[in-house]
């Protein structure tokens, strides 16, 4: 019989969407043909899942950040053999951006204030923005190639919230 070997590939990262868990695909590369799988949280030693599907591919959902140990048992080998691998599930990626008043409109008080947002590409673009919990907060929203801005704002305090493509959000400091 062939020596047992398998791979682990993260096919979905943790995110802030409705389908938040990370997904790891386990693929048997070689072995005798009948397998059992066990996933343990490496820090606690608790079993996360255990199955004897016998197939050669398994998608494992992991909902928490941490290091996991995956054990595969080749039940057809004599004697039964096992191989262990670890995989690390990283935290959700939060949007990164800066928001600043490029024209505060304070002198006239007429609603000419502009807040401009500049985003950093950390894998969760495009970002969408809200200001004070609403899309426009009495101003207008303009999306451009490298910057986005809220314009026509009256003097006041504003917080801009960015939402990444993964559903995670980040708030700016008060502007």
């Amino acid at each position: 019989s062939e020596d047992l070997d398998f791979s682990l590939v993260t096919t979905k990262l943790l995110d802030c969407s409705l389908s938040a868990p990370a997904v790891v695909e386990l693929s048997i590369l070689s072995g005798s043909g009948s397998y059992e799988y066990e996933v343990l949280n490496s820090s606690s030693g608790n079993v996360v899942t255990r199955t004897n599907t016998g197939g050669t591919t398994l998608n494992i959902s992991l909902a928490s950040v941490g290091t996991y140990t995956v054990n595969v048992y080749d039940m057809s080998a004599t004697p039964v053999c096992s191989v262990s691998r670890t995989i690390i599930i990283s935290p959700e990626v939060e949007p990164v951006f800066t928001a600043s008043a490029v024209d505060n409109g304070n002198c006239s008080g007429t609603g000419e204030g502009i807040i401009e947002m500049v985003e950093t590409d950390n894998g969760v673009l495009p970002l969408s923005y809200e200001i004070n919990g609403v899309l426009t907060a009495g101003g207008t929203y303009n999306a451009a190639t490298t910057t986005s801005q809220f314009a026509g704002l009256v003097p006041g305090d504003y917080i801009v919230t960015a939402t990444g493509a993964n559903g995670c959000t980040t708030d700016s400091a008060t502007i």
Side-chain angles (χ1 to χ4, degrees):
S1 70
E2 291 187 58
D3 289 341
L4 176 61
D5 192 17
F6 70 95
S7 66
L8 297 172
V9 176
T10 302
T11 58
K12 181 182 176 295
L13 300 173
L14 284 177
D15 64 32
C16 302
S17 70
L18 294 177
S19 61
V23 177
V24 175
E25 181 180 274
L26 180 153
S27 298
I28 299 294
L29 303 173
S30 62
S32 299
S34 179
Y35 310 100
E36 291 187 10
Y37 311 93
E38 178 181 64
V39 180
L40 303 158
N41 180 308
S42 295
S43 61
S44 70
N46 293 335
V47 174
V48 176
T49 186
R50 184 179 289 146
T51 184
N52 60 353
T53 62
T56 58
T57 303
L58 178 68
N59 285 322
I60 304 164
S61 292
L62 299 170
S64 300
V65 172
T67 301
Y68 294 85
T69 302
V70 179
N71 300 313
V72 176
Y73 302 90
D74 188 339
M75 304 308 289
S76 297
T78 306
V80 169
C81 69
S82 67
V83 174
S84 297
R85 304 249 191 283
T86 59
I87 191 151
I88 297 171
I89 302 301
S90 300
E92 299 87 345
V93 177
E94 302 293 332
V96 176
F97 75 104
T98 58
S100 57
V102 293
D103 182 349
N104 65 18
N106 280 339
C107 291
S108 64
T110 60
E112 298 298 323
I114 297 172
I115 294 176
E116 184 173 87
M117 292 76 66
V118 178
E119 52 201 34
T120 301
D121 188 351
N122 65 345
V124 298
L125 297 180
L127 303 183
S128 61
Y129 298 97
E130 290 184 345
I131 188 166
N132 289 358
V134 297
L135 182 60
T136 60
T140 59
Y141 174 73
N142 303 306
T145 307
T146 56
T147 61
S148 299
Q149 60 182 218
F150 290 101
L153 300 171
V154 297
D157 291 334
Y158 295 96
I159 295 175
V160 177
T161 302
T163 303
N166 64 354
C168 296
T169 61
T170 301
D171 289 339
S172 71
T174 301
I175 303 164

